[in-house]
Amino acid sequence: MALSHWRPLIALTIVLALIGGAIAWQGKSTSSSPAKVAKVTKSDAEWQRMLTKEQYRILREKGTERAFTGKYWDHHERGVYVCAGCDLALFDSATKFDSKTGWPSFYAPTRKEHVESVRDTSHGMIRTEVVCARCGGHLGHVFGDGPKPTGLRYCINSASLVFLKK
Ligand code: FE
């Protein structure tokens, strides 16, 4: 059979191979682990010096501010909330929603590698604590009753955050 008969088939094979390769490459690039956030470590004395009493109590001693008392539960400006301990960008105002809980609530962090989850069994409950990935500061907890698109509710202490206007 003349080669010309096979040309469409050869072309199709090449195209399929290219598509397959592109899919494999994309899969590889999205599944590769995200860049780790470099840690910030300070002594308790250093944290005490640089944080307010309330920030220290919450960030370093895993405290919780009283509902409806923090700076940001009813804050609606556009910008980014960074860690009060180390300035890492944690939550964008675009993901903030009114949870009616009295704490600033977000459905996602700015980047998933910027926060870490820790199992928390204190106070007779099983919860998931959220800490800053850079300084380890306590931020709050994450619950599974949030809105779309993630279904998550990051319930965060205002004292753990500093808002930067866009
Ligand atoms: Fe931090």
Side-chain angles (χ1 to χ4, degrees), residues 83 85-88 132 134-137:
C83 176
C86 73
D87 301 328
L88 184 64
C132 170
R134 184 146 73 188
C135 72

Side-chain angles (χ1 to χ4, degrees), residues 1-45:
M1 200 181 284
L3 183 65
S4 62
H5 282 93
W6 292 99
R7 269 198 192 131
L9 193 62
I10 290 165
L12 183 67
T13 305
I14 290 168
V15 166
L16 286 177
L18 287 173
I19 290 170
I23 288 169
W25 180 81
Q26 209 173 24
K28 199 178 169 186
S29 66
T30 53
S31 67
S32 65
S33 60
K36 277 267 181 187
V37 175
K39 303 282 179 191
V40 163
T41 47
K42 292 183 197 294
S43 68
D44 278 343

Side-chain angles (χ1 to χ4, degrees), residues 22-85:
I23 288 169
W25 180 81
Q26 209 173 24
K28 199 178 169 186
S29 66
T30 53
S31 67
S32 65
S33 60
K36 277 267 181 187
V37 175
K39 303 282 179 191
V40 163
T41 47
K42 292 183 197 294
S43 68
D44 278 343
E46 283 178 289
W47 285 123
Q48 256 162 352
R49 252 199 312 277
M50 64 167 285
L51 299 172
T52 66
K53 265 203 154 108
E54 178 76 343
Q55 286 172 335
Y56 182 84
R57 184 181 74 82
I58 291 169
L59 282 167
R60 308 314 310 177
E61 300 183 323
K62 304 190 186 300
T64 302
E65 70 200 12
R66 281 193 300 125
F68 304 102
T69 64
K71 205 171 169 182
Y72 300 130
W73 71 272
D74 196 22
H75 184 256
H76 301 282
E77 282 182 288
R78 284 180 60 188
V80 64
Y81 295 84
V82 305
C83 176

